[in-house]
Amino acid sequence: MHPVLKTVLQRLGLGVLTLFAVSIIIFSSLQMLPGGYAQNILGQGATPETVKNFNHELGLDRPAYVRYVEWIGNAVQGDFGNSYSGTTGTIKRSVSAIIAPRLYNTFFLAAMAAVVAVPLSLLLGVLAALYRNSWYDRIVNSITLTTIAMPEFFIAYLLMFFFAVKHRWFYSLSTVSESTSFWEHVNRATLPALTMTLVIIAHMMRMTRASIINLLASPYIEMAQLKGVSKSQVILRHALPNAWAPIATVIAFNLAYLVVGVVVVEVVYVYPGIGQMMVDAVSSRDMPVVQACALIFAATYILLNLLADIVSITTNPRLLHPK
Amino acid sequence: MASDIKRVKGDVLLEIKNLVIDGKSDDEWKPIIRGIDLTLKRGEVLGLIGESGAGKSTLGLAGMGYARPGCRITSGTINFDGIDLVAASEETRRGLWGSRIAYVAQSAAASFNPAHHIIDQTIETAVGHNIMTREKAEADARDLYKRLQLPNPDTIGLRFPHQVSGGQLQRAMTAMAMSCRPDLIIFDEPTTALDVTTQVEVLAAMRNIVEQFNTAAIYITHDLAVVAQMAHRIMVLRYGNLVEEAPTREMLKQPTQEYTKSLWAVRKLQKPETTSDDIILNIDGVDATYGGGTSKVLDNVTVKIPRGTTVAVVGESGSGKSTLARAITGLLPPSKGTISFNGKALPAALANRDRDTLRRIQMIYQSADTALNPRQTVRDIIGRPLEFYLGLKGAANDRRVVQLLENIELNESYIDRYPGEMSGGQKQRISIARALAAEPELIICDEVTSALDQIVQEEILQLLMKLQKETNVTYLFITHDIATVRAISDEIVVMHRGKVVQQGLKSKVLNPPYPAYTELLLSSVPQMDPDWLTGLLAKRSAKV
Ligand SMILES: Nc1ncnc2c1ncn2[C@@H]1O[C@H](COP(=O)(O)OP(=O)(O)O)[C@@H](O)[C@H]1O
Ligand SMILES: [Mg+2]
């Protein structure tokens, strides 16, 4: 087997193992949350008796490991169980059915932000490395420092104020539903996507710049200059191909943020994504939903890091082309 | 190209006048090159020689009109074939680089971009400056590879830099420099990182190709014997000044300056040979492997070390010299065989050795920079083993540190210095004192002089010999440098690919009859005689 394929498979196996470990941590730490769905729904006045019956109905009186095995066993098959809310009523609502539209919205928003942010930050980073210490570099540097320093809700309100209130170009509230058309969805999600773009672009751009500049002291860069290679080619052909590993890592980190860290932006724009839903589920102690969300977040994070690893491996000629 | 028409041997190609270059250190500009004149004619090879830091690279690069970041050309003129390189625009200079003036760097492994095929880098300038079409440039590169005697010249360019050996890569870099048939090539210590046996081929290939195309060259090195083979004329540099300049043969026959004479001082050092029947260390049939037995690095190694003598272990890089040291010190327990010390078997692993055994075997490393903790003062560095092995504390410890400093010819004032405040030679002396502090019977010296300049090397070797006389300590001296071996050893062990080729007294190993590998190794060591390389090549080709 090619060593790269072997390494990739190893990482993949490791990722699956990590996910299992994380699922145990998620499950057990949620057990430690004070209160429960029953207390929450029945209120302060509920007698211990009714709480007990309620828990029995949800199957919560069984030992934790039994419930874990049942949960993870089903989850592996794509079944995350039923939401507690509704269990007592006539229609059971499956977690997957609740999460799916929300997850779609979140990925939609993340993709919108990523499509703009990743190429733009690479471009800005490469240009900043090429014209390092010029006025361009300084301006980009101070702008990105500013956006890093500003809290995201502040950016969100600022954008809302200019683009929705003052100029009415975009919606200030991003309510979408399953009947919203694709372009309408794009339109409504523009401001939240822009907010997130501004938040992550600075980080990625600075890392791109730093990774490239870091390489400029290498002897092979001096050699390229002394071969008469132009400045832009020195950066693009000689530095960039060796800088992918750290850049990929920071991109993966930021893409993960787009999925798992967007709750503030969702709240500000009232965008029906998964973050807001998870917060609601936690406060109502709707454990199947919380667990499923947490597991999805963990999987996203692990998967993106895996991709970054694969990029690092496949851009390393020593691994890709062994002796 | 216009230059084709007037490629006449003998015209002045490069003329540097009164050049001053400053370098920035600690936020202050200090002169690195202090007013040097240099003239180079077409087709001429000029050797630049001096210790590290003398300014050779800075001057060589100035010949391209290039100053490294942190350096600046303060005054003087650099005239290349009618073009004033100091006043020229960056565009003009970039147009010359690679096409009319090319550079060959010291470490080919570091100077090739790891991400691209060798041939793409070879032809980058030729294609990028529209001198040749891609097809033509590739064909030409293959031709150059052949002329430089690279194996598989038609396909070697399709490999990545890490897939070929150091010597091959160095030749590929020469091909890269040659690809536009420049008027001038700057060779900056191109063989310093290579083994002697590889160096011969690379030197021959470079000299040959420069002659074929009548290219002028500046050949930079710290090795006088190497420059003697390559250059028509030699300039000796020190502290950014020109010490002396003369045609090669003249310079070798009668150097006028003391400093020039001292450059080959090590080669004059000769320790009278002694031996002893008292064997302090007996290595018997030792095998060692890395990576859980996948690659055998030591193969049935048997070596006897007589007390109070210096046994030199020589061989190319990768021959297993340092692994042998690791096996002795217990860092890498042998997979087979025994090592006995003072007649008793040594426990294989470091963890199983008692403190007194540890004390008796000490080690000194090549790089004092990595071996010494930069945050400790000399007092702590030398005091630590005094306390650990001998239980010396407080004033008694200090007194002993000062005594040891005297032994290594440094005065008391060094006791509070940090490694960063000392020169390379001084730091290596501190490493020696730290080893001596344990009052060992055997010291393993692993390439301890390799990173040092010739003059400092000689001082360190003198010191080691003096200490041996005073304390009767035994040295196992690992080196790849035959001149050092000649200077310091009583016995020599020749290693090749993990095996001992030969062990014997210096007088025996260094004189015929030789086993084949010893002969290859010894004959590859450059001699001061400017005809040495030519003679050697003739002899070797006659044999084939
Ligand atoms: N980029 C640089 N910036 C500042 N000082 C430098 C730089 N490069 C070299 N120097 C200093 O210039 C001197 C000469 O260096 P160099 O030309 O590399 O010597 P050599 O090639 O003879 O070893 C040294 O003292 C070194 O510290
Ligand atoms: Mg140098």
Side-chain angles (χ1 to χ4, degrees):
Chain A
M1 202 187 329
H2 195 281
V4 166
L5 190 63
K6 201 172 137 200
T7 321
V8 168
L9 287 179
Q10 269 172 1
R11 296 287 156 92
L12 201 65
L14 211 61
V16 171
L17 275 182
T18 316
L19 197 56
F20 263 105
V22 170
S23 76
I24 294 175
I25 296 173
I26 291 172
F27 191 87
S28 47
S29 53
L30 287 180
Q31 299 301 311
M32 289 177 226
L33 271 188
Y37 187 71
Q39 282 97 325
N40 195 41
I41 218 73
L42 299 172
Q44 294 283 326
T47 62
E49 196 74 347
T50 38
V51 170
K52 206 176 150 203
N53 283 340
F54 201 92
N55 278 342
H56 179 74
E57 209 167 317
L58 294 175
L60 287 177
D61 50 351
R62 295 171 304 156
Y65 70 90
V66 174
R67 284 180 285 126
Y68 172 75
V69 171
E70 182 187 273
W71 171 61
I72 200 73
N74 289 334
V76 170
Q77 299 165 38
D79 173 12
F80 289 95
N82 293 320
S83 163
Y84 289 167
S85 67
T87 314
T88 45
T90 41
I91 344 142
K92 296 202 177 218
R93 294 205 297 150
S94 83
V95 171
S96 315
I98 299 176
I99 287 184
R102 295 295 193 114
L103 196 61
Y104 171 78
N105 288 346
T106 295
F107 280 135
F108 192 98
L109 185 58
M112 262 182 84
V115 162
V116 180
V118 171
L120 193 61
S121 55
L122 282 179
L123 183 71
L124 290 176
V126 168
L127 287 176
L130 184 56
Y131 301 109
R132 57 195 173 284
N133 306 328
S134 69
W135 59 265
Y136 163 79
D137 187 24
R138 289 201 194 112
I139 290 174
V140 171
N141 222 352
S142 18
I143 293 177
T144 53
L145 264 181
T146 318
T147 61
I148 284 180
M150 279 198 288
E152 45 193 322
F153 73 85
F154 187 69
I155 299 181
Y157 282 124
L158 220 58
L159 292 179
M160 201 190 279
F161 178 71
F162 278 110
F163 295 119
V165 179
K166 272 203 109 164
H167 290 293
R168 302 194 167 276
W169 290 341
F170 296 103
Y171 297 95
S172 62
L173 296 184
S174 309
T175 41
V176 292
S177 69
E178 274 162 69
S179 57
T180 315
S181 75
F182 180 82
W183 289 113
E184 183 62 19
H185 197 151
V186 169
N187 192 0
R188 286 176 187 258
T190 298
L191 282 188
L194 194 59
T195 310
M196 298 200 305
T197 300
L198 283 180
V199 172
I200 62 168
I201 214 168
H203 196 196
M204 292 197 289
M205 172 260 156
R206 292 172 74 86
M207 193 64 198
T208 305
R209 177 185 183 274
S211 308
I212 291 176
I213 288 183
N214 201 10
L215 288 175
L216 293 184
S218 317
Y220 60 82
I221 297 292
E222 180 172 75
M223 190 70 212
Q225 286 172 323
L226 293 177
K227 277 160 70 180
V229 177
S230 72
K231 270 186 183 170
S232 55
Q233 287 300 308
V234 166
I235 300 276
L236 289 176
R237 195 161 44 200
H238 288 275
L240 193 57
N242 295 292
W244 283 125
I247 294 176
T249 307
V250 80
I251 289 180
F253 180 84
N254 282 286
L255 291 186
Y257 162 83
L258 288 181
V259 175
V260 309
V262 290
V263 65
V264 173
V265 176
E266 284 178 9
V267 169
V268 171
Y269 289 102
V270 199
Y271 183 79
I274 200 167
Q276 221 180 347
M277 179 172 123
M278 182 169 175
V279 171
D280 291 345
V282 169
S283 53
S284 71
R285 302 288 188 271
D286 191 350
M287 290 314 166
V289 174
V290 178
Q291 286 165 1
C293 289
L295 205 59
I296 288 169
F297 287 175
T300 308
Y301 200 80
I302 291 170
L303 190 71
L304 284 168
N305 274 297
L306 188 71
L307 285 177
D309 268 1
I310 293 176
V311 169
S312 306
I313 294 166
T314 50
T315 55
N316 183 341
R318 280 168 203 280
L319 293 174
L320 203 57
H321 310 277
K323 288 204 177 186
Chain B
M1 273 184 295
S3 63
D4 280 342
I5 309 160
K6 44 175 196 163
R7 261 182 201 245
V8 183
K9 202 163 184 159
D11 285 359
V12 169
L13 178 68
L14 177 71
E15 186 157 46
I16 295 179
K17 280 216 174 111
N18 212 356
L19 183 70
V20 179
I21 297 179
D22 285 353
K24 204 171 200 168
S25 62
D26 305 328
D27 271 329
E28 241 184 285
W29 291 99
K30 291 187 184 136
I32 307 176
I33 298 293
R34 306 161 190 253
I36 287 190
D37 292 347
L38 180 156
T39 311
L40 186 67
K41 299 194 181 114
R42 280 188 185 281
E44 187 187 26
V45 179
L46 171 69
L48 279 187
I49 182 159
E51 297 168 69
S52 70
K56 308 182 295 292
S57 299
T58 309
L59 181 60
L61 289 168
M64 309 182 74
Y66 176 79
R68 289 200 157 127
C71 297
R72 64 171 189 206
I73 297 170
T74 342
S75 67
T77 58
I78 304 167
N79 192 306
F80 172 78
D81 203 18
I83 305 164
D84 179 354
L85 290 184
V86 180
S89 71
E90 217 174 309
E91 276 314 298
T92 313
R93 270 178 287 177
R94 193 173 301 131
L96 294 173
W97 292 346
S99 59
R100 295 196 60 199
I101 315 175
Y103 182 67
V104 175
Q106 171 165 355
S107 163
S111 300
F112 266 100
N113 192 323
H116 300 295
H117 291 290
I118 292 171
I119 196 157
D120 292 337
Q121 303 190 52
T122 308
I123 62 171
E124 189 171 8
T125 313
V127 176
H129 287 192
N130 296 318
I131 294 169
M132 282 181 230
T133 63
R134 192 173 183 88
E135 292 70 44
K136 191 151 173 286
E138 281 185 1
D140 183 64
R142 288 192 287 269
D143 177 51
L144 286 171
Y145 294 156
K146 202 176 294 158
R147 287 169 192 259
L148 287 158
Q149 283 163 15
L150 280 164
N152 310 320
D154 289 336
T155 53
I156 194 167
L158 299 175
R159 301 208 195 172
F160 283 91
H162 70 271
Q163 292 175 315
V164 307
S165 74
Q168 292 168 0
L169 211 50
Q170 203 59 263
R171 276 177 279 172
M173 187 151 61
T174 307
M176 179 158 90
M178 227 4 131
S179 70
C180 298
R181 303 296 184 275
D183 301 301
L184 168 64
I185 300 185
I186 318 285
F187 291 97
D188 193 351
E189 311 224 21
T191 62
T192 302
L194 304 177
D195 281 315
V196 271
T197 49
T198 324
Q199 175 172 265
V200 170
E201 300 158 22
V202 176
L203 287 178
M206 288 188 310
R207 191 174 76 173
N208 207 341
I209 202 142
V210 168
E211 265 168 22
Q212 276 180 31
F213 295 112
N214 190 25
T215 315
I218 294 181
Y219 194 98
I220 298 171
T221 173
H222 63 271
D223 189 338
L224 206 62
V226 166
V227 85
Q229 313 309 315
M230 306 300 286
H232 302 124
R233 191 156 49 95
I234 298 177
M235 284 172 72
V236 181
L237 241 56
R238 189 185 201 190
Y239 305 139
N241 290 310
L242 179 66
V243 176
E244 76 176 297
E245 178 179 359
T248 302
R249 283 171 199 276
E250 215 169 284
M251 170 86 77
L252 291 172
K253 232 182 273 160
Q254 39 195 216
T256 56
Q257 301 296 313
E258 272 312 304
Y259 176 71
T260 313
K261 289 177 194 161
S262 71
L263 278 175
W264 59 99
V266 174
R267 295 164 197 275
K268 294 218 184 106
L269 213 64
Q270 272 275 7
K271 182 190 176 191
E273 187 175 276
T274 59
T275 188
S276 157
D277 291 332
D278 179 8
I279 302 298
I280 182 169
L281 190 78
N282 192 356
I283 304 165
D284 191 15
V286 162
D287 280 8
T289 58
Y290 286 113
T294 43
S295 59
K296 210 170 190 178
V297 192
L298 293 182
D299 187 355
N300 198 18
V301 168
T302 299
V303 173
K304 284 187 172 48
I305 300 176
R307 186 182 305 278
T309 65
T310 302
V311 176
V313 180
V314 287
E316 299 171 41
S317 64
S319 61
K321 306 184 297 289
S322 294
T323 308
L324 182 61
R326 291 168 64 88
I328 298 169
T329 51
L331 291 170
L332 182 76
S335 54
K336 203 195 100 213
T338 55
I339 301 175
S340 41
F341 182 63
N342 285 331
K344 275 193 301 187
L346 268 180
L350 190 63
N352 301 333
R353 297 189 184 172
D354 60 44
R355 190 175 289 198
D356 198 53
T357 310
L358 294 178
R359 177 185 70 74
R360 288 163 197 264
I361 304 179
Q362 293 291 315
M363 178 122 191
I364 309 173
Y365 298 90
Q366 168 170 1
S367 162
D369 284 320
T370 49
L372 302 180
N373 184 339
R375 279 190 278 277
Q376 284 185 340
T377 61
V378 167
R379 184 197 310 273
D380 296 332
I381 292 169
I382 304 178
R384 173 78 52 94
L386 287 174
E387 188 178 336
F388 181 77
Y389 292 119
L390 308 171
L392 287 184
K393 288 200 172 85
N397 192 312
D398 272 9
R399 265 201 306 280
R400 184 70 187 130
V401 172
V402 173
Q403 268 177 9
L404 284 163
L405 282 176
E406 274 164 20
N407 288 343
I408 56 162
E409 294 155 4
L410 292 178
N411 63 39
E412 238 178 286
S413 69
Y414 283 84
I415 197 164
D416 287 316
R417 291 214 196 178
Y418 289 94
E421 300 166 335
M422 290 181 282
S423 72
Q426 287 167 343
K427 279 183 277 196
Q428 203 53 288
R429 282 172 191 261
I430 299 297
S431 305
I432 294 171
R434 179 174 64 175
L436 282 181
E439 298 178 8
E441 291 171 43
L442 173 68
I443 300 182
I444 301 171
C445 306
D446 191 353
E447 302 274 9
V448 289
T449 54
S450 302
L452 303 173
D453 285 316
Q454 301 270 315
I455 295 174
V456 187
Q457 271 188 28
E458 193 214 347
E459 290 166 3
I460 295 287
L461 294 179
Q462 296 269 23
L463 173 68
L464 287 171
M465 286 193 231
K466 182 198 95 169
L467 294 170
Q468 186 169 53
K469 246 185 232 150
E470 288 167 8
T471 61
N472 200 36
V473 64
T474 309
Y475 294 127
L476 181 66
F477 200 95
I478 294 171
T479 179
H480 69 275
D481 183 33
I482 307 290
T484 310
V485 173
R486 232 180 263 275
I488 195 172
S489 68
D490 296 301
E491 288 199 16
I492 301 176
V493 176
V494 182
M495 286 191 70
H496 182 49
R497 298 197 181 146
K499 287 200 173 81
V500 172
V501 176
Q502 194 183 8
Q503 167 169 18
L505 285 171
K506 170 164 66 178
S507 54
K508 183 165 155 278
V509 174
L510 294 184
N511 287 302
Y514 308 111
Y517 179 73
T518 309
E519 169 151 33
L520 174 71
L521 191 65
L522 292 178
S523 68
S524 300
V525 178
Q527 307 291 311
M528 287 300 181
D529 171 12
D531 298 321
W532 165 80
L533 184 61
T534 316
L536 178 71
L537 294 172
K539 220 189 289 168
R540 284 193 184 170
S541 64
K543 241 185 228 172
V544 172

